[in-house]
Amino acid sequence: DAKTTQPNSMESNEEEPVHLPCNHSTISGTDYIHWYRQLPSQGPEYVIHGLTSNVNNRMASLAIAEDRKSSTLILHRATLRDAAVYYCIISSNTGKLIFGQGTTLQVKP
Amino acid sequence: DTEVTQTPKHLVMGMTNKKSLKCEQHMGHRAMYWYKQKAKKPPELMFVYSYEKLSINESVPSRFSPECPNSSLLNLHLHALQPEDSALYLCASSQVGVNEQFFGPGTRLTVL
């Protein structure tokens, strides 16, 4: 299973964009990049996933480097409700998710 | 209905007790998962069921025994647990393969 490296914590101001980085240099050609987040006292919540191309959905955008060794989760306008631990996960097609330490995002009003 | 429900919300048990955790979903998902999460740590995968058959066991001790009686239900039977097994136990479900996993709120287990 490919490992991921994320900063332990990041801060953002409310209503500003947030770029959460993730390094995954050992990713293999068929591995997917997933992002989940976990709000306090809740189970993890799916954010987005992709393989090679950049992806957009109603929650966020995922920018994947051309060599796929890194990716960035983009929250376009952070709100206080986006304060959470964000996990970048690399998985094969088995559905097996191995969570790393994640990035704790603080959003300041 | 995009919800995964877990019961009970909280459970306290002694080391000699036998108890079960229950997870249910009605989204037609054929993959279901158990994770364990200790305080301030990320979730750790324990088991994966695919089409009601156990497909992945992440070397979990035999005092944890999963069961998938049908496509909507997933149980985790607990026996002779240790205090270090105290944690939040999370259930998730998804379509089989690379798909969004839906997580339940978890059962907070305390072993005395």
Side-chain angles (χ1 to χ4, degrees):
Chain A
D1 302 312
K3 273 199 74 168
T4 59
T5 304
Q6 298 177 254
N8 285 336
S9 62
M10 289 184 66
E11 275 186 8
S12 168
N13 293 318
E14 200 175 9
E15 301 200 2
E16 288 187 359
V18 182
H19 290 233
L20 295 163
C22 181
N23 287 321
H24 30 80
S25 58
T26 59
I27 191 170
S28 73
T30 55
D31 285 341
Y32 285 76
I33 302 158
H34 299 254
W35 284 83
Y36 282 74
R37 71 181 186 181
Q38 189 170 20
L39 280 67
S41 303
Q42 293 187 27
E45 174 188 30
Y46 169 84
V47 178
I48 201 165
H49 80 280
L51 183 60
T52 55
S53 307
N54 295 342
V55 184
N56 300 297
N57 67 21
R58 62 173 181 83
M59 285 182 74
S61 295
L62 175 60
I64 301 172
E66 204 169 318
D67 63 5
R68 301 208 327 126
K69 294 183 187 300
S70 65
S71 60
T72 302
L73 179 71
I74 303 164
L75 306 180
H76 295 286
R77 286 182 72 212
T79 70
L80 297 178
R81 284 176 296 182
D82 291 322
V85 180
Y86 285 79
Y87 295 103
C88 168
I89 303 163
I90 304 303
S91 81
S92 64
N93 61 3
T94 63
K96 180 175 161 178
L97 298 181
I98 304 298
F99 287 74
Q101 295 303 311
T103 297
T104 300
L105 176 66
Q106 291 182 310
V107 180
K108 295 187 289 187
Chain B
D1 182 6
T2 57
E3 196 180 16
V4 174
T5 58
Q6 291 188 244
T7 52
K9 284 189 168 41
H10 301 273
L11 178 64
V12 179
M13 62 186 288
M15 289 191 284
T16 57
N17 292 157
K18 283 186 183 181
K19 296 285 185 185
S20 297
L21 310 184
K22 181 179 166 182
C23 173
E24 195 165 3
Q25 56 88 15
H26 296 286
M27 293 178 275
H29 292 163
R30 302 300 296 277
M32 295 187 78
Y33 313 80
W34 280 115
Y35 292 83
K36 172 182 176 179
Q37 186 172 26
K38 302 279 275 183
K40 308 270 188 218
K41 297 290 186 187
E44 296 174 31
L45 182 67
M46 298 175 74
F47 302 105
V48 179
Y49 272 83
S50 181
Y51 299 110
E52 296 84 69
K53 292 197 184 333
L54 183 66
S55 59
I56 296 176
N57 176 343
E58 290 286 291
S59 303
V60 178
S62 59
R63 56 185 185 270
F64 295 91
S65 175
E67 178 199 20
C68 191
N70 61 54
S71 60
S72 301
L73 276 177
L74 185 66
N75 298 320
L76 186 63
H77 302 298
L78 314 172
H79 174 54
L81 293 195
Q82 305 296 312
E84 59 265 29
D85 296 322
S86 299
L88 181 68
Y89 287 84
L90 293 159
C91 173
S93 72
S94 73
Q95 300 291 354
V96 174
V98 182
N99 287 291
E100 172 184 359
Q101 290 187 21
F102 291 79
F103 283 80
T107 293
R108 189 158 299 282
L109 174 68
T110 303
V111 181
L112 300 177

XYZ file of all heavy atoms in Angstrom, chain A residues 30-98:
549
model
N -2.105 2.016 -11.182
C -3.537 1.744 -11.092
C -4.144 2.185 -9.767
O -5.309 1.937 -9.506
C -3.804 0.239 -11.279
O -3.009 -0.474 -10.325
C -3.442 -0.210 -12.687
N -3.348 2.814 -8.923
C -3.853 3.282 -7.615
C -4.676 4.554 -7.779
O -4.340 5.428 -8.582
C -2.707 3.585 -6.652
C -2.044 2.345 -6.090
O -2.668 1.256 -6.151
O -0.912 2.468 -5.597
N -5.732 4.661 -6.979
C -6.562 5.854 -6.932
C -6.160 6.747 -5.760
O -5.626 6.271 -4.759
C -8.037 5.466 -6.777
C -8.663 4.924 -8.029
C -8.402 3.621 -8.454
C -9.505 5.711 -8.801
C -8.977 3.124 -9.603
C -10.079 5.227 -9.952
C -9.813 3.934 -10.349
O -10.377 3.449 -11.491
N -6.438 8.029 -5.908
C -6.204 9.017 -4.849
C -7.560 9.421 -4.275
O -8.441 9.867 -5.010
C -5.491 10.265 -5.405
C -4.162 9.872 -6.047
C -5.270 11.296 -4.296
C -3.654 10.893 -7.046
N -7.718 9.204 -2.975
C -8.978 9.529 -2.309
C -8.735 10.603 -1.261
O -7.680 10.645 -0.623
C -9.537 8.310 -1.557
C -9.848 7.133 -2.414
N -11.138 6.771 -2.734
C -9.043 6.227 -3.001
C -11.098 5.688 -3.484
N -9.855 5.335 -3.666
N -9.742 11.407 -1.015
C -9.731 12.328 0.121
C -11.016 12.122 0.922
O -12.121 12.076 0.369
C -9.648 13.778 -0.350
C -8.277 14.186 -0.809
C -7.729 13.979 -2.046
C -7.289 14.879 -0.046
N -6.455 14.494 -2.078
C -6.162 15.059 -0.871
C -7.242 15.371 1.268
C -5.007 15.705 -0.435
C -6.095 16.024 1.694
C -4.995 16.185 0.847
N -10.815 11.969 2.214
C -11.923 11.910 3.169
C -11.660 12.958 4.235
O -10.513 13.373 4.440
C -12.018 10.528 3.835
C -12.661 9.479 2.974
C -11.971 8.916 1.894
C -13.961 9.042 3.220
C -12.567 7.951 1.088
C -14.567 8.080 2.426
C -13.864 7.548 1.366
O -14.466 6.609 0.567
N -12.712 13.374 4.924
C -12.506 14.262 6.057
C -13.318 13.745 7.236
O -14.307 13.019 7.063
C -12.899 15.690 5.721
C -14.381 15.937 5.559
C -14.638 17.390 5.209
N -16.058 17.706 5.189
C -16.541 18.907 4.882
N -15.705 19.904 4.547
N -17.834 19.131 4.908
N -12.881 14.101 8.422
C -13.562 13.666 9.626
C -13.761 14.861 10.541
O -12.795 15.436 11.049
C -12.785 12.561 10.348
C -13.553 11.918 11.489
C -12.870 10.667 12.020
O -11.688 10.449 11.826
N -13.647 9.816 12.705
N -15.030 15.223 10.698
C -15.373 16.294 11.615
C -15.374 15.727 13.035
O -15.536 14.518 13.239
C -16.750 16.874 11.263
C -16.793 17.864 10.102
C -16.458 17.225 8.765
C -18.143 18.555 10.025
N -15.216 16.596 14.030
C -15.181 16.107 15.427
C -16.423 15.289 15.755
O -17.540 15.657 15.400
C -15.133 17.410 16.235
C -14.514 18.406 15.314
C -14.973 18.039 13.937
N -16.189 14.151 16.405
C -17.261 13.264 16.893
C -18.128 12.687 15.771
O -19.307 12.366 15.991
C -18.171 14.003 17.888
O -17.401 14.508 18.952
N -17.583 12.579 14.570
C -18.324 11.961 13.466
C -17.454 10.922 12.772
O -16.227 10.916 12.927
C -18.753 13.022 12.449
C -19.778 14.007 12.986
C -20.305 14.926 11.897
O -20.317 14.572 10.728
N -20.752 16.106 12.288
N -18.107 10.058 11.976
C -17.354 9.149 11.121
C -16.773 9.902 9.943
O -17.221 11.003 9.610
N -15.763 9.340 9.281
C -15.198 10.003 8.098
C -16.250 10.209 7.018
O -17.232 9.467 6.925
C -14.112 9.025 7.630
C -13.751 8.249 8.845
C -15.018 8.128 9.620
N -16.012 11.221 6.190
C -16.932 11.595 5.122
C -16.141 11.689 3.830
O -15.081 12.332 3.781
C -17.566 12.941 5.472
C -18.442 13.542 4.406
C -18.870 14.966 4.745
O -18.113 15.674 5.436
O -19.939 15.378 4.293
N -16.640 11.067 2.788
C -15.996 11.120 1.473
C -15.977 12.551 0.960
O -16.967 13.278 1.077
C -16.759 10.223 0.511
C -16.382 10.360 -0.948
C -15.303 9.667 -1.476
C -17.125 11.180 -1.793
C -14.969 9.784 -2.822
C -16.794 11.307 -3.129
C -15.719 10.602 -3.644
O -15.395 10.723 -4.969
N -14.842 12.948 0.380
C -14.762 14.264 -0.248
C -14.668 14.134 -1.764
O -15.488 14.668 -2.509
C -13.560 15.068 0.297
C -13.460 16.424 -0.407
C -13.678 15.258 1.816
N -13.669 13.384 -2.232
C -13.435 13.313 -3.679
C -12.434 12.198 -3.956
O -11.697 11.783 -3.039
C -12.910 14.683 -4.177
C -13.125 14.883 -5.672
C -11.444 14.876 -3.800
C -12.961 16.336 -6.120
N -12.402 11.679 -5.178
C -11.317 10.786 -5.560
C -11.040 10.909 -7.053
O -11.912 11.369 -7.819
C -11.588 9.337 -5.145
C -12.514 8.566 -6.043
N -13.891 8.692 -5.969
C -12.265 7.656 -7.011
C -14.438 7.877 -6.848
N -13.481 7.237 -7.504
N -9.823 10.497 -7.454
C -9.455 10.570 -8.858
C -8.328 9.606 -9.174
O -7.696 9.038 -8.283
N -8.070 9.455 -10.474
C -7.014 8.546 -10.921
C -5.879 9.319 -11.585
O -4.744 9.277 -11.131
C -7.596 7.522 -11.895
C -6.652 6.437 -12.409
C -6.110 5.599 -11.263
C -7.352 5.553 -13.436
N -6.184 10.033 -12.662
C -5.137 10.772 -13.363
C -5.530 12.228 -13.610
O -4.724 13.129 -13.429
C -4.816 10.125 -14.720
O -6.036 10.017 -15.463
C -4.207 8.742 -14.546
N -6.766 12.434 -14.013
C -7.193 13.794 -14.360
C -7.696 14.528 -13.128
O -8.140 13.913 -12.161
C -8.333 13.743 -15.372
O -7.981 12.966 -16.472
N -7.657 15.853 -13.219
C -8.231 16.670 -12.155
C -9.733 16.415 -12.074
O -10.383 16.089 -13.076
C -7.950 18.150 -12.404
C -6.474 18.463 -12.336
O -5.685 17.686 -11.792
N -6.086 19.614 -12.863
N -10.278 16.517 -10.867
C -11.686 16.201 -10.618
C -12.329 17.346 -9.852
O -11.680 17.964 -8.990
C -11.825 14.899 -9.786
C -13.285 14.522 -9.619
C -11.038 13.752 -10.410
N -13.588 17.614 -10.177
C -14.345 18.626 -9.432
C -15.657 18.019 -8.974
O -16.269 17.234 -9.700
C -14.666 19.836 -10.326
C -13.430 20.510 -10.843
O -12.636 21.025 -10.080
N -13.244 20.479 -12.147
N -16.097 18.363 -7.776
C -17.455 18.055 -7.361
C -17.964 19.209 -6.510
O -17.290 20.237 -6.377
C -17.556 16.690 -6.660
C -16.843 16.649 -5.326
O -16.583 17.675 -4.687
N -16.505 15.446 -4.900
N -19.145 19.030 -5.916
C -19.755 20.163 -5.213
C -18.986 20.542 -3.957
O -19.111 21.638 -3.445
C -21.211 19.851 -4.869
C -21.371 18.669 -3.939
C -22.799 18.469 -3.456
N -22.856 17.329 -2.548
C -22.556 17.390 -1.260
N -22.181 18.527 -0.716
N -22.628 16.315 -0.506
N -18.182 19.623 -3.444
C -17.461 19.910 -2.201
C -16.089 20.513 -2.445
O -15.639 21.365 -1.670
C -17.262 18.621 -1.384
C -18.486 18.123 -0.678
S -18.123 16.655 0.287
C -17.228 17.347 1.645
N -15.395 20.033 -3.478
C -13.982 20.391 -3.620
C -13.492 20.084 -5.024
O -14.222 19.536 -5.852
C -13.158 19.589 -2.602
N -12.216 20.418 -5.256
C -11.511 20.027 -6.478
C -10.271 19.252 -6.093
O -9.685 19.488 -5.022
C -11.107 21.258 -7.285
O -12.237 21.947 -7.746
N -9.888 18.332 -6.955
C -8.679 17.547 -6.745
C -7.762 17.797 -7.928
O -8.138 17.516 -9.077
C -9.021 16.062 -6.641
C -7.851 15.080 -6.534
C -7.010 15.372 -5.292
C -8.358 13.642 -6.496
N -6.574 18.325 -7.619
C -5.577 18.569 -8.648
C -4.492 17.516 -8.496
O -3.896 17.385 -7.418
C -4.994 19.970 -8.495
N -4.242 16.756 -9.569
C -3.278 15.653 -9.530
C -2.085 16.031 -10.392
O -2.253 16.410 -11.560
C -3.928 14.351 -10.038
C -5.148 14.000 -9.166
C -2.920 13.203 -10.048
C -5.973 12.836 -9.688
N -0.879 15.916 -9.836
C 0.332 16.235 -10.592
C 0.472 15.296 -11.773
O -0.027 14.168 -11.752
C 1.555 16.126 -9.687
N 1.170 15.768 -12.780
C 1.302 14.978 -14.005
C 1.976 13.630 -13.743
O 1.604 12.610 -14.321
C 2.124 15.775 -15.022
C 1.855 15.357 -16.447
C 2.466 16.334 -17.435
O 2.392 17.559 -17.219
O 3.024 15.840 -18.431
N 2.952 13.592 -12.841
C 3.625 12.330 -12.527
C 2.893 11.539 -11.452
O 3.331 10.459 -11.055
C 5.087 12.580 -12.091
C 5.193 13.394 -10.806
O 4.145 13.692 -10.191
O 6.311 13.740 -10.406
N 1.791 12.065 -10.963
C 0.900 11.455 -9.959
C 1.573 11.248 -8.614
O 1.032 10.554 -7.752
C 0.333 10.126 -10.460
C -0.455 10.257 -11.719
C -1.557 9.232 -11.939
N -1.264 7.925 -11.405
C -2.050 7.278 -10.566
N -3.169 7.823 -10.130
N -1.736 6.073 -10.132
N 2.735 11.825 -8.391
C 3.410 11.641 -7.111
C 2.914 12.609 -6.039
O 3.337 12.545 -4.879
C 4.925 11.767 -7.280
C 5.529 10.647 -8.122
C 7.040 10.779 -8.199
C 7.647 9.784 -9.172
N 7.378 8.382 -8.822
N 2.058 13.511 -6.407
C 1.472 14.418 -5.415
C 0.104 14.872 -5.902
O -0.216 14.752 -7.101
C 2.364 15.639 -5.178
O 2.436 16.420 -6.350
N -0.684 15.367 -4.960
C -1.996 15.908 -5.313
C -2.356 17.003 -4.319
O -1.726 17.121 -3.245
C -3.074 14.818 -5.322
O -3.196 14.215 -4.047
N -3.349 17.788 -4.678
C -3.796 18.889 -3.819
C -5.312 18.908 -3.779
O -5.971 18.873 -4.837
C -3.300 20.244 -4.357
O -1.870 20.216 -4.444
C -3.720 21.388 -3.437
N -5.850 18.924 -2.590
C -7.287 19.108 -2.412
C -7.547 20.598 -2.268
O -6.893 21.269 -1.459
C -7.772 18.378 -1.158
C -9.260 18.534 -0.860
C -10.091 17.758 -1.881
C -9.594 18.075 0.548
N -8.483 21.097 -3.049
C -8.786 22.528 -3.022
C -10.211 22.737 -2.535
O -11.160 22.227 -3.145
C -8.614 23.149 -4.427
C -7.193 22.899 -4.932
C -8.919 24.654 -4.393
C -7.009 23.105 -6.414
N -10.332 23.457 -1.429
C -11.641 23.922 -0.965
C -11.735 25.367 -1.426
O -10.912 26.201 -1.054
C -11.747 23.847 0.554
C -11.432 22.493 1.198
C -11.573 22.582 2.720
C -12.331 21.406 0.646
N -12.734 25.687 -2.239
C -12.730 26.973 -2.924
C -13.034 28.144 -2.001
O -12.480 29.230 -2.173
C -13.697 26.926 -4.097
C -13.245 25.938 -5.141
N -12.177 26.201 -5.986
C -13.662 24.694 -5.442
C -11.984 25.158 -6.767
N -12.870 24.232 -6.455
N -13.907 27.936 -1.026
C -14.216 28.979 -0.034
C -14.440 28.292 1.300
O -15.491 27.712 1.525
C -15.459 29.765 -0.428
C -15.262 30.738 -1.567
C -16.532 31.503 -1.856
N -16.819 32.475 -0.802
C -18.035 32.833 -0.444
N -19.095 32.291 -1.000
N -18.226 33.737 0.504
N -13.447 28.340 2.159
C -13.547 27.631 3.431
C -14.616 28.247 4.323
O -14.752 29.478 4.392
C -12.200 27.663 4.149
N -15.361 27.402 4.982
C -16.303 27.852 6.006
C -15.900 27.219 7.334
O -15.082 26.291 7.374
C -17.746 27.447 5.671
O -17.866 26.017 5.818
C -18.114 27.830 4.244
N -16.503 27.704 8.409
C -16.178 27.164 9.733
C -16.502 25.672 9.799
O -15.851 24.913 10.525
C -16.929 27.933 10.819
C -16.576 29.415 10.940
C -17.426 30.090 12.013
C -15.103 29.615 11.244
N -17.514 25.259 9.007
C -17.909 23.846 9.017
C -16.913 22.948 8.295
O -17.039 21.728 8.328
C -19.291 23.691 8.391
C -20.423 24.145 9.317
C -21.753 24.075 8.616
N -21.817 24.999 7.495
C -22.874 25.178 6.723
N -23.963 24.467 6.929
N -22.869 26.036 5.739
N -15.932 23.548 7.624
C -14.896 22.751 6.952
C -13.743 22.391 7.891
O -12.822 21.673 7.488
C -14.335 23.511 5.755
C -15.349 23.640 4.629
O -16.105 22.671 4.399
O -15.395 24.713 3.995
N -13.773 22.882 9.124
C -12.729 22.526 10.093
C -12.849 21.037 10.408
O -13.882 20.563 10.883
C -12.885 23.346 11.369
N -11.784 20.291 10.101
C -11.831 18.831 10.212
C -10.424 18.284 10.012
O -9.496 19.016 9.688
C -12.762 18.246 9.147
N -10.299 16.963 10.168
C -9.064 16.285 9.761
C -9.275 15.768 8.349
O -10.268 15.087 8.076
C -8.714 15.104 10.701
C -7.431 14.425 10.234
C -8.576 15.587 12.140
N -8.387 16.124 7.442
C -8.487 15.719 6.035
C -7.460 14.626 5.753
O -6.265 14.807 5.988
C -8.241 16.926 5.128
C -9.422 17.860 5.101
C -9.645 18.760 6.142
C -10.352 17.823 4.064
C -10.761 19.592 6.160
C -11.459 18.658 4.054
C -11.656 19.533 5.109
O -12.760 20.346 5.110
N -7.943 13.508 5.245
C -7.096 12.358 4.976
C -6.935 12.172 3.461
O -7.925 12.103 2.731
C -7.704 11.083 5.544
C -7.814 11.028 7.052
C -9.030 11.239 7.686
C -6.692 10.750 7.838
C -9.143 11.182 9.064
C -6.793 10.688 9.219
C -8.015 10.897 9.821
O -8.123 10.824 11.189
N -5.690 12.053 3.036
C -5.355 11.689 1.662
C -5.000 10.205 1.682
O -4.169 9.781 2.499
C -4.174 12.548 1.203
S -3.384 12.034 -0.327
N -5.638 9.413 0.829
C -5.479 7.956 0.880
C -5.239 7.432 -0.515
O -5.922 7.849 -1.464
C -6.763 7.305 1.442
C -7.108 7.867 2.827
C -6.620 5.789 1.513
C -8.532 7.599 3.251
N -4.273 6.536 -0.633
C -4.018 5.888 -1.914
C -4.551 4.466 -1.823
O -4.249 3.752 -0.866
C -2.505 5.848 -2.221
C -1.923 7.263 -2.172
C -2.245 5.190 -3.574
C -2.581 8.251 -3.089
N -5.352 4.059 -2.786
C -5.902 2.713 -2.712
C -5.903 2.050 -4.084
O -5.993 2.709 -5.121
C -7.320 2.742 -2.155
O -8.242 3.076 -3.152
N -5.838 0.719 -4.047
C -5.971 -0.072 -5.271
C -7.460 -0.273 -5.536
O -8.297 0.329 -4.871
C -5.282 -1.415 -5.084
O -5.944 -2.136 -4.059
N -7.798 -1.140 -6.472
C -9.207 -1.337 -6.797
C -9.904 -2.335 -5.878
O -10.998 -2.785 -6.165
C -9.364 -1.783 -8.255
C -8.660 -3.097 -8.512
O -8.111 -3.691 -7.587
N -8.664 -3.549 -9.739
N -9.278 -2.674 -4.746
C -9.924 -3.588 -3.798
C -10.899 -2.866 -2.879
O -11.636 -3.509 -2.145
C -8.881 -4.273 -2.895
O -8.224 -3.269 -2.121
C -7.874 -5.041 -3.721
N -10.857 -1.540 -2.883
C -11.704 -0.781 -1.956
C -11.072 -0.606 -0.601
O -11.651 0.002 0.297
N -9.865 -1.144 -0.421
C -9.185 -1.067 0.872
C -8.626 0.339 1.061
O -7.831 0.802 0.255
C -8.064 -2.103 0.851
C -7.219 -2.210 2.079
C -6.253 -3.392 1.895
C -5.101 -3.305 2.842
N -4.197 -4.452 2.705
N -9.046 1.025 2.119
C -8.544 2.356 2.433
C -7.624 2.270 3.641
O -8.048 1.814 4.695
C -9.701 3.322 2.755
C -10.715 3.612 1.676
C -11.756 4.601 2.195
C -10.056 4.151 0.426
N -6.389 2.722 3.479
C -5.457 2.787 4.596
C -5.236 4.263 4.904
O -4.615 4.987 4.128
C -4.122 2.097 4.267
C -4.368 0.642 3.830
C -3.175 2.160 5.456
C -4.993 -0.238 4.872
